[in-house]
Amino acid sequence: MIPFSTSYVAGVALSEVDGEMKMLLMKRVKGGYWCHCAGGVEEGELGWQAW
């Protein structure tokens, strides 16, 4: 595995519902726009744990 360092992570969740592909989005409070899920990594936390 290649070591790397990150302070932000983003993810895309897809699911098939009734034969149609759906993507999980969240609505931001600031700005009121829709986007994929993302956030910051806290001290001592690994990128894959930052959900």
Side-chain angles (χ1 to χ4, degrees), residues 21-50:
M21 192 60 71
K22 304 283 185 172
M23 181 183 346
L24 175 66
L25 298 174
M26 62 181 201
K27 189 171 185 182
R28 294 282 185 178
V29 173
K30 293 181 180 179
Y33 59 91
W34 292 90
C35 64
H36 64 284
C37 301
V41 178
E42 297 176 5
E43 187 175 338
E45 185 177 41
L46 299 176
W48 64 269
Q49 296 171 316

